[in-house]
Amino acid sequence: IEEDNQQGVAELLEDLHPADIAEMMEDLTMEEAKFIYRLLDGETASDVLVEMDEADRRRLLRELPSEIIVSKFIDFMDSDDAADVVADLDEDQQREVLNEIGDIEQAGDIVDLLEYDEDSAGGIMAKELVKVNENWNVATCLKEISKQAEEVDEIFYIYVTDDDDKLKGVLSLKKLILSNTNTKIANLYNPEIKKVITDTRQEEVAEIMDKYDLVAIPVVDDIGRLKGRITWDDVIDIVREEAERDYQMVSGITGDVESSDKVWPLIRARFPWLMVGLLGGIVSATILKTHGDSLSKVTQLAFFIPLIAAMAGNVGVQSSSIIVKTIASGVKDMETPTRKLLKDISVAFLTATAFSVLIFIYNFFTAGDLRLTYAVSISLFIVILFASLFGTIIPLVLHKFKIDPALATGPFITTMNDILGMFIYLGVASLFFNLG
Amino acid sequence: IEEDNQQGVAELLEDLHPADIAEMMEDLTMEEAKFIYRLLDGETASDVLVEMDEADRRRLLRELPSEIIVSKFIDFMDSDDAADVVADLDEDQQREVLNEIGDIEQAGDIVDLLEYDEDSAGGIMAKELVKVNENWNVATCLKEISKQAEEVDEIFYIYVTDDDDKLKGVLSLKKLILSNTNTKIANLYNPEIKKVITDTRQEEVAEIMDKYDLVAIPVVDDIGRLKGRITWDDVIDIVREEAERDYQMVSGITGDVESSDKVWPLIRARFPWLMVGLLGGIVSATILKTHGDSLSKVTQLAFFIPLIAAMAGNVGVQSSSIIVKTIASGVKDMETPTRKLLKDISVAFLTATAFSVLIFIYNFFTAGDLRLTYAVSISLFIVILFASLFGTIIPLVLHKFKIDPALATGPFITTMNDILGMFIYLGVASLFFNLG
């Protein structure tokens, strides 16, 4: 397609949406991508950059001089996107780029935004918003809004502040249009407004906006001054990221890979948890080795090793993913810890009973040795009980120590419970066959 | 709290957001919930109902007479929410409620919406929107908009249609305000508009809105007539639901449970996949039984059963969740099927080589019997290769037959691969020990 036919390519690009161009870029080499960027106007180029995959973007930025980054991208961006781009650069380049920005106000906004933790409301908000003073009237407002609106992609809400820039309330564009031009804003706005503070965690922001169906939420500092706003598209990204991280954890994949990725990233994403599984398998083998006598005397014991391991693993993954999801949803639990523990124990107890009865019935009719039947049922009972409690407790403990509880889903809990399962199974079996 | 102190409770409720009331309702009995509803005004009551958990809502509606459902809820709802509520009722009650609705236009909207598949754009869109004719001028538009705006919660975009109600383009409120009142709409609107058709799948709608950062998208019928619009909050719900379903599948949980649920739903959600695991364990036991001779002669073979099973399971879950995520993301793959298959085989091959070499080294130094070392390594190699390919191929086949590919993640693939692993392991071992 691309034989330096500048004219043709430029025409082709004109009809495409920035998001489509960004998607296309991912399949191109660095040289081809640079060639495309040269053909795009600033507005489009900056939109494409925002839509691009983070890793690709970082690589591209590293190759560009600071003047180009500013004149081609930063100048056309909203403050939140600009701050993201600057944050991706190394420190020297950051300073260069910031000094290159002509508009001192924009540079200041970016510096402000870089101060905040990137997972906090401050880190994801944009400085661009439309605000009016409560003492103005409708006519002044409309004039002021058309001035401010140039910098803002979509207005959504108009925020009302007092003389100290403290957030007082919100006003819809609809209401403003339908009101008499002499009416004072103070009489129009809605003072009941949901807002977040700059250091609110981004997950909490997403929850609030989702719960109250807000298309944008204002961000204030500790003393209530309006600092920025977060819009719905940021929230979708948070929800998606969160869900994806949990999904990857439970599947035992590290990093964000898709089947269209190259061979090497795919292997790298799989390796760590498979390594954990391998080490777990070696530990299990060692446990079995110490019971080598029992196994050689009663070969039938070996038959149920996969069953015990599978049940231990599955129960553990279920328990851990239920509790991780509950922690993530952030719902304050009304249940007291004791009642909660009692309930978890009853669920585990009933599940354990059901499945050990089932396997008892099966073995009763198929296995010759009644001792084996007892040993398998009883150890399955104990294994399910412990696997279930471990699955619940370990994520809770991790959460307590501020470690991501999702770490303890998937292969981690499966491996732990495999080992636990072997330990219990052969311990119980030894008792039954007096092989201690 | 609730000793029929109507006055007190009513005052308390007044200060709460509908979403908060809905959250509170979930902990109340049916009688208490009904009591609360009686205290709420229609606008709030209907908002609370929309925010409520689906199962609770259904139970509540079943207990209320049709007149109350209409006068207290439907009359205050947007068409999409009203259609959802009506869809929850049984057929007789549906007819009663629809006949009870006074506003014939609203009843018609609901009937229209009920026609669409609930997972399609038509099924999630609302009829309420603001539209203007391309032949009007700005002044007429503003007048018309203030009339239409009463029924619409948030305007977001103004849609421009021709005399046949066909969608021509979109206009922002901002642009309208900043334009001269005599300007004709035809000269103002943006004709490049993203839209979906009534039978577009909801996942695709979510993707388009997310990709192009649209806060609302218009829905047209097959000949381009404007039928409704879908707003960002519907999309968040879709994204969340999709992510949760996949997460549940890979964790082996059926149904949407949280740890705060009661004992019985928790057990019910866990039972089906544990049952699959149990049956798989029994099959594995049967396979091992047919190799009972080998196991009794070479007890050490049993030591590595958990390792082989764990690796088979983990590799399978990884492969299946990567491919399921890729299918869900809906990205059209540029790779040809042959290249894709070749790549998957190389990933599986390299992973299998790495781990069989690792276990070879471990066993070489710890296991006395070189035949065991060979048997474990070689079967681990074959098991990883097959587990990986099965993990990729089964979801693809399910997808081909229009079955949810996520079914083949988690316990399903683990169980399958456990069985496969035992089969391969003992087959290979038999060869090495000449025990066939």
Side-chain angles (χ1 to χ4, degrees), chain A residues 81-375:
Chain A
D81 294 329
D84 284 348
V85 167
V86 174
D88 274 353
L89 305 172
D90 59 50
E91 241 175 89
D92 289 343
Q93 218 182 349
Q94 274 192 19
R95 211 166 312 122
E96 265 183 58
V97 165
L98 286 171
N99 282 317
E100 196 73 42
I101 299 174
D103 180 350
I104 185 73
E105 205 180 318
Q106 202 203 4
D109 281 352
I110 295 173
V111 172
D112 284 352
L113 289 178
L114 286 175
E115 297 286 312
Y116 300 111
D117 178 7
E118 60 173 327
D119 291 333
S120 71
I124 53 172
M125 73 184 184
K127 295 290 232 176
E128 287 81 7
L129 49 76
V130 173
K131 64 178 176 188
V132 297
N133 190 298
E134 57 174 342
N135 300 316
W136 296 346
N137 64 21
V138 171
T140 325
C141 270
L142 281 172
K143 221 179 301 161
E144 191 59 35
I145 289 169
S146 35
K147 220 186 297 167
Q148 293 179 19
E150 267 171 45
E151 293 205 345
V152 182
D153 278 344
E154 305 207 54
I155 299 182
F156 298 134
Y157 305 113
I158 299 156
Y159 298 113
V160 181
T161 54
D162 64 12
D163 292 333
D164 295 330
D165 207 27
K166 284 191 184 163
L167 181 66
K168 302 293 280 181
V170 67
L171 186 64
S172 72
L173 201 49
K174 186 174 116 186
K175 198 158 185 183
L176 195 68
I177 297 173
L178 306 182
S179 302
N180 189 300
T181 47
N182 291 321
T183 317
K184 263 192 61 178
I185 297 299
N187 302 323
L188 281 180
Y189 75 78
N190 178 3
E192 272 173 43
I193 183 171
K194 299 281 166 200
K195 60 190 174 216
V196 292
I197 300 176
T198 43
D199 52 11
T200 307
R201 280 186 322 113
Q202 64 171 358
E203 286 82 7
E204 207 179 317
V205 176
E207 246 165 66
I208 295 173
M209 291 180 66
D210 187 19
K211 182 170 169 191
Y212 299 112
D213 282 348
L214 302 170
V215 66
I217 198 166
V219 183
V220 297
D221 65 10
D222 287 324
I223 57 167
R225 285 177 306 186
L226 182 61
K227 285 296 177 182
R229 71 163 184 178
I230 296 168
T231 48
W232 72 283
D233 43 316
D234 303 316
V235 173
I236 289 220
D237 291 343
I238 298 168
V239 170
R240 242 186 231 282
E241 269 170 35
E242 231 183 305
E244 255 168 37
R245 217 190 39 220
D246 287 350
Y247 182 70
Q248 279 164 18
M249 285 286 191
V250 77
S251 335
I253 297 163
T254 51
D256 184 19
V257 288
E258 293 218 353
S259 77
S260 55
D261 283 328
K262 299 220 167 54
V263 173
W264 183 233
L266 279 171
I267 292 181
R268 211 171 33 198
R270 285 154 157 259
F271 203 86
W273 282 119
L274 288 183
M275 197 65 214
V276 170
L278 187 81
L279 293 177
I282 289 176
V283 174
S284 290
T286 315
I287 294 177
L288 294 179
K289 219 173 275 182
T290 62
H291 289 84
D293 277 356
S294 322
L295 284 167
S296 68
K297 279 189 214 145
V298 194
T299 311
Q300 292 160 301
L301 278 178
F303 302 166
F304 294 94
I305 290 177
L307 188 143
I308 300 277
M311 293 305 278
N314 289 347
V315 165
V317 170
Q318 288 183 335
S319 294
S320 59
S321 31
I322 291 177
I323 191 75
V324 164
K325 200 188 128 195
T326 308
I327 294 173
S329 79
V331 176
K332 305 285 170 301
D333 224 318
M334 305 253 188
E335 293 175 299
T336 58
T338 343
R339 248 195 78 187
K340 193 172 188 60
L341 198 68
L342 270 178
K343 199 184 64 180
D344 283 346
I345 292 176
S346 8
V347 171
F349 188 85
L350 289 170
T351 313
T353 310
F355 286 98
S356 49
V357 167
L358 284 174
I359 199 66
F360 183 87
I361 295 170
Y362 172 79
N363 274 341
F364 189 79
F365 288 107
T366 59
D369 195 333
L370 204 61
R371 287 176 303 176
L372 181 73
T373 307
Y374 279 116

Side-chain angles (χ1 to χ4, degrees), chain B residues 245-308:
Chain B
R245 216 191 39 219
D246 287 351
Y247 182 70
Q248 280 164 20
M249 285 286 191
V250 76
S251 338
I253 297 163
T254 52
D256 183 19
V257 288
E258 292 219 353
S259 78
S260 56
D261 282 328
K262 298 220 168 54
V263 172
W264 182 233
L266 279 170
I267 292 181
R268 211 170 33 194
R270 285 155 156 259
F271 202 86
W273 282 119
L274 288 182
M275 197 64 214
V276 170
L278 188 81
L279 294 176
I282 289 175
V283 174
S284 290
T286 313
I287 293 176
L288 294 179
K289 219 172 275 181
T290 62
H291 291 85
D293 277 355
S294 321
L295 283 167
S296 67
K297 280 188 212 147
V298 193
T299 312
Q300 293 160 300
L301 277 178
F303 303 165
F304 294 94
I305 291 177
L307 188 142
I308 300 278

Side-chain angles (χ1 to χ4, degrees), chain B residues 14-145:
Chain B
E14 217 162 274
D15 293 335
L16 286 175
H17 190 280
D20 295 317
I21 303 179
E23 209 171 81
M24 205 184 69
M25 293 285 235
E26 279 167 28
D27 299 319
L28 301 179
T29 65
M30 185 61 71
E31 279 315 304
E32 290 168 331
K34 279 204 220 158
F35 172 79
I36 298 282
Y37 269 116
R38 241 171 292 142
L39 295 177
L40 298 172
D41 63 90
E43 191 72 51
T44 318
S46 64
D47 283 350
V48 172
L49 194 74
V50 170
E51 300 282 343
M52 259 178 93
D53 189 68
E54 214 168 308
D56 290 344
R57 184 168 75 188
R58 212 168 292 174
R59 262 190 303 136
L60 181 76
L61 287 174
R62 206 163 301 147
E63 299 226 347
L64 295 175
S66 304
E67 311 90 71
I68 300 288
I69 295 181
V70 172
S71 66
K72 193 97 190 184
F73 302 120
I74 304 278
D75 280 351
F76 298 93
M77 282 182 177
D78 279 350
S79 53
D80 55 340
D81 295 328
D84 284 348
V85 167
V86 174
D88 274 353
L89 306 171
D90 60 50
E91 241 176 87
D92 289 342
Q93 219 183 347
Q94 275 192 17
R95 213 166 311 121
E96 265 183 58
V97 165
L98 286 172
N99 282 316
E100 198 72 42
I101 299 173
D103 180 349
I104 186 72
E105 205 179 320
Q106 202 202 3
D109 282 352
I110 296 174
V111 172
D112 283 353
L113 289 178
L114 286 175
E115 296 286 312
Y116 299 111
D117 177 8
E118 59 173 327
D119 292 333
S120 71
I124 52 173
M125 72 183 184
K127 294 291 235 174
E128 288 80 6
L129 50 77
V130 174
K131 64 178 175 187
V132 297
N133 190 300
E134 57 174 340
N135 299 316
W136 296 347
N137 63 22
V138 171
T140 324
C141 270
L142 281 172
K143 222 179 300 163
E144 191 58 35
I145 288 169

Side-chain angles (χ1 to χ4, degrees), chain A residues 5 11 46 76 79 107-108 159 240 298 406 410 417:
Chain A
N5 176 4
E11 266 168 36
S46 65
F76 297 93
S79 54
Y159 298 113
R240 242 186 231 282
V298 194
N417 280 348

